[in-house]
Amino acid sequence: MSSIEQRIDELRSDDKSGASELTQRSVAVLKELAESFEGDDKGEFIHYVSKWGSTLAGLHPHMSAIRCCIGGIVYGLNEHREYADVFGLRHFVYTFADDFIRDSNDNVKKIARNACEIIGDNKYKVLLTHSRSSTVREVFRQLIKIGYSVEFIVTESRGRVTRPGEETSYPFGLQTSEDLKSMGIVHKVVPDILAGHYARKTDASIVGADSILGDGGLVNSAGTYHIALAAHDANKPFYVACETLKFDPSYNQSNADILLETLNKRDVGKGHLFDITPSRYINDGRIITEIGALKQSEIADIMTTKRKYLTAL
């Protein structure tokens, strides 16, 4: 088995890594495949990259991040085909891949800085989070680093009730708690049954995202919707912080049941289920991203571009 085939098999079987890491690894493999192409026919080169791109995107079909990113490469190749030779097209793939991987590594810190600015401007003193998000964890870390005084509350985030003897993964909220402990961040863990109560009592709630739907809705760990409802009922802000990488134009609230069925079928054995929170329950409908707190109109513009990329595959 070649090195590339082995890496593709590893990608296919990886059910633990998040969207950002899997997308970076998929793009790196596609870059290596582009490098291995022999010949000077640009039509054959584009077909070769497109074929392998479709294969990579199909390894985790529920992750639009991979499909959109690889689709962006294929879309760009077709845009450049009239005036670039194989050398130029290959250079485009290299540049796209390298820029994406570099930017992706920086995006979490950029999102955290944007979130910290919002939190500081509003003088929030008590924050609640749900599930496990590397982005939210970085927000908390940066708040402590700049000396901002705030109390953190973490829900257990068990995802679902399990029957006696049924195996389930360690609850994501408790994993978040371990992460915060390792960074020396003082926090309080509360049971999921009290999540709504604390969402009403805290200054604000902030969560990450599995994905953002085409109409701005949020897909995240089960229980997120109830926290958003409680916060909305108490007129308390509910924030979402995630990369634009996770924007998924393939689904909206009218057909998201298909996505939920796929996700929940995949993760039911791990004790991890998902729900959908409509955009009207997200603070001002804005998503905190690496390029700022985006309004619904700005989210719609990004979704339009991503739809072009998806159709390229």
Side-chain angles (χ1 to χ4, degrees):
M1 180 183 293
S2 70
S3 171
I4 290 180
E5 289 174 331
Q6 182 177 349
R7 287 162 66 190
I8 289 175
D9 279 347
E10 289 171 353
L11 280 168
R12 181 183 291 109
S13 60
D14 190 337
D15 60 358
K16 295 182 175 63
S17 299
S20 181
E21 181 180 343
L22 287 173
T23 305
Q24 287 187 47
R25 287 164 55 195
S26 298
V27 168
V29 169
L30 192 61
K31 175 186 173 183
E32 191 171 331
L33 284 162
E35 185 177 7
S36 70
F37 177 81
E38 297 178 354
D40 55 9
D41 187 304
K42 58 186 178 183
E44 290 182 3
F45 176 77
I46 293 174
H47 175 73
Y48 177 81
V49 173
S50 299
K51 181 188 71 173
W52 278 110
S54 295
T55 297
L56 289 164
L59 299 179
H60 295 276
H62 61 283
M63 285 190 175
S64 71
I66 300 175
R67 290 184 286 116
C68 284
C69 191
I70 290 179
I73 292 176
V74 176
Y75 180 85
L77 288 175
N78 283 303
E79 289 288 294
H80 288 79
R81 70 184 302 159
E82 289 188 13
Y83 54 86
D85 56 13
V86 169
F87 177 83
L89 293 174
R90 184 183 279 117
H91 179 71
F92 169 79
V93 176
Y94 292 174
T95 302
F96 189 109
D98 290 343
D99 287 350
F100 170 78
I101 292 170
R102 182 197 64 237
D103 292 344
S104 187
N105 287 330
D106 293 338
N107 282 345
V108 169
K109 291 182 179 179
K110 291 178 181 177
I111 297 167
R113 285 196 293 270
N114 291 333
C116 287
E117 184 175 336
I118 291 171
I119 291 166
D121 288 347
N122 287 280
K123 298 180 172 57
Y124 298 138
K125 295 300 182 183
V126 185
L127 296 173
L128 178 142
T129 193
H130 179 69
S131 192
R132 190 187 194 198
S133 164
S134 59
T135 304
V136 173
R137 187 170 67 241
E138 178 63 17
V139 173
F140 289 3
R141 189 194 70 80
Q142 287 196 24
L143 285 170
I144 295 300
K145 184 178 179 180
I146 63 177
Y148 189 84
S149 179
V150 61
E151 178 185 350
F152 301 115
I153 297 175
V154 180
T155 65
E156 288 184 335
S157 315
R158 292 186 177 274
R160 69 187 179 106
V161 177
T162 56
R163 294 181 290 273
E166 185 178 20
E167 291 187 5
T168 184
S169 63
Y170 194 49
F172 279 121
L174 298 187
Q175 292 181 43
T176 296
S177 176
E178 293 296 330
D179 294 338
L180 297 180
K181 285 178 184 176
S182 70
M183 293 187 285
I185 297 177
V186 178
H187 60 283
K188 177 180 181 178
V189 178
V190 300
D192 291 335
I193 197 170
L194 294 178
H197 168 77
Y198 279 96
R200 289 190 291 268
K201 297 297 183 182
T202 55
D203 293 330
S205 299
I206 182 168
V207 299
D210 187 80
S211 63
I212 300 297
L213 301 176
D215 55 9
L218 164 68
V219 178
N220 201 44
S221 295
T224 302
Y225 176 49
H226 298 290
I227 291 172
L229 278 176
H232 184 266
D233 183 60
N235 199 29
K236 295 295 180 67
F238 176 84
Y239 293 103
V240 178
C242 76
E243 293 180 77
T244 54
L245 175 70
K246 293 186 176 181
F247 286 16
D248 185 355
S250 305
Y251 299 95
N252 53 48
Q253 289 175 64
S254 65
N255 68 349
D257 285 347
I258 300 171
L259 175 61
L260 283 186
E261 184 177 346
T262 301
L263 291 172
N264 290 337
K265 185 180 296 184
R266 180 196 70 184
D267 285 352
V268 68
K270 307 170 196 172
H272 189 196
L273 294 179
F274 298 83
D275 63 21
I276 295 173
T277 301
S279 60
R280 64 181 177 274
Y281 296 124
I282 299 170
N283 196 61
D284 295 330
R286 291 174 179 256
I287 307 295
I288 304 172
T289 74
E290 69 275 12
I291 55 177
L294 302 182
K295 298 182 293 186
Q296 286 295 307
S297 60
E298 295 169 314
I299 293 171
D301 288 342
I302 293 174
M303 294 293 184
T304 298
T305 299
K306 289 202 169 197
R307 286 189 186 95
K308 294 180 185 177
Y309 295 166
L310 288 176
T311 58
L313 289 176

